[in-house]
Amino acid sequence: MIEPVENDKVTPARPSVNRFSLDTRGEARLIEPIKKTRVAEEVADRIRTLILDGTFSQGQPLPSERVLTEQFGVSRGSIRDALRMLETIGLIETQHGRGTFPRELTVDRLVAPLASMMKFQHELQDELLDVRRMFEPAVARVAAQRATDQDFADLERIIDAQQRKLKTGQSAIVEDSEFHAALARATRNRVVVSLMATLNDLLVESRKLTLKQKGRPAKSVEGHVVVVAALRRHDADGAAQAMRDHIDQIADLQTQASPLPGDNGQ
């Protein structure tokens, strides 16, 4: 069911409309009165959720601006602003003469806006490190139990490539990401592999920042070597601790590399 947006700073385009049922899947919890002052943002978030859960499905146009205005009880300007936000992040597209449609959802399309935000909002990078602390030691723990000779060969090949680049002063960002991807593959869990790929995409900017620091590439290789040594021993606890230590070291370096407030980076 849809109820109007409630906001005393926004004049509804018309009086509140009666609720109506979309179906019996429980969408009512998603379409409830909005009580925030930033109405367009809240409408955009509500529409995004309805797209993600399939209420507004691919191949079918979204309701018209007029219908959305009636359903949410806000001005048409707020609806237009919300749709522009969704189009900017790639969730919808306008097809001339046909309407506005949800776009096919891919990992790249969902990750790109967040990765861009992390480039400028350093507190999000700190929270991403928290995610790594929760996720990657667990990945290493499982990999220690399931890794095969081929996995060890892949990990050693990546470390060798890192070391060669280190000697010549080249960037090893690609190999850094490949190492963690190979570790995820060693778990034999496709969901873990997909989650690690998403995490690697989000880490691009922070890796660019920290790998420029003196000594950071060497420390990265050292951390990887310790993780692989624990994997070869099939030491699940040791692998998890090695990964945790590796991430903590990265966190310290990232703190040193982060610009201070008001710093223009020069």
Side-chain angles (χ1 to χ4, degrees):
M1 295 186 294
I2 294 181
E3 295 183 353
V5 173
E6 292 182 0
N7 191 292
D8 55 21
K9 293 190 177 183
V10 175
T11 302
R14 57 180 64 194
S16 299
V17 295
N18 292 331
R19 301 180 182 184
F20 65 89
S21 177
L22 293 171
D23 55 31
T24 59
R25 292 181 296 170
E27 286 84 353
R29 63 184 177 80
L30 300 173
I31 310 179
E32 298 173 349
I34 300 171
K35 299 180 180 179
K36 297 182 179 180
T37 57
R38 302 177 68 180
V39 174
E41 288 90 338
E42 186 66 19
V43 172
D45 187 63
R46 200 69 61 83
I47 294 173
R48 178 190 61 80
T49 303
L50 292 169
I51 290 172
L52 294 177
D53 76 0
T55 301
F56 293 157
S57 59
Q58 294 176 34
Q60 298 296 321
L62 298 182
S64 67
E65 289 182 4
R66 180 184 60 80
V67 172
L68 291 172
T69 296
E70 292 178 350
Q71 291 174 355
F72 289 107
V74 299
S75 69
R76 184 167 289 194
S78 293
I79 295 296
R80 288 174 178 167
D81 287 343
L83 295 177
R84 275 196 293 269
M85 293 174 194
L86 295 171
E87 190 165 20
T88 297
I89 64 174
L91 282 181
I92 63 174
E93 62 180 345
T94 300
Q95 299 181 13
H96 184 67
R98 297 189 60 205
T100 301
F101 292 77
R103 297 184 69 182
E104 181 181 1
L105 298 178
T106 64
V107 170
D108 287 345
R109 187 164 289 149
L110 294 174
V111 167
L114 183 55
S116 179
M117 289 172 59
M118 287 184 172
K119 184 175 182 179
F120 302 102
Q121 298 186 25
H122 295 288
E123 69 275 11
L124 292 180
Q125 293 182 6
D126 293 340
E127 291 181 23
L128 184 58
L129 277 170
D130 279 344
V131 173
R132 295 192 68 182
R133 289 188 181 98
M134 297 176 217
F135 179 61
E136 294 195 58
V139 171
R141 180 183 298 279
V142 175
Q145 300 167 351
R146 300 179 183 177
T148 65
D149 289 342
Q150 183 59 56
D151 293 318
F152 293 135
D154 289 342
L155 291 165
E156 295 287 1
R157 173 184 55 78
I158 294 167
I159 290 175
D160 287 344
Q162 278 188 295
Q163 290 173 331
R164 287 196 301 273
K165 287 191 172 182
L166 179 62
K167 291 178 181 178
T168 59
Q170 299 179 66
S171 171
I173 290 177
V174 172
E175 287 74 19
D176 202 339
S177 298
E178 283 183 352
F179 179 87
H180 293 274
L183 195 64
R185 289 195 298 273
T187 67
R188 299 294 180 273
N189 186 306
R190 289 174 293 178
V191 175
V192 169
V193 171
S194 294
L195 289 173
M196 186 66 79
T198 300
L199 190 56
N200 273 334
D201 286 341
L202 294 174
L203 286 167
V204 169
E205 291 301 329
S206 65
R207 281 181 174 141
K208 285 180 181 178
L209 185 68
T210 58
L211 284 171
K212 291 179 181 178
Q213 290 181 279
K214 184 177 180 180
R216 161 66 168 95
K219 291 182 182 298
S220 177
V221 174
E222 291 169 6
H224 292 172
V225 169
V226 175
V227 170
V228 172
L231 294 180
R232 284 194 174 278
R233 298 193 305 270
H234 299 288
D235 179 359
D237 290 341
Q241 186 59 53
M243 181 58 72
R244 192 174 297 110
D245 292 343
H246 178 54
I247 294 170
D248 286 343
Q249 187 178 64
I250 293 169
D252 290 341
L253 291 167
Q254 184 167 303
T255 299
Q256 297 170 23
S258 297
L260 296 173
D263 186 359
N264 60 11
Q266 298 183 6

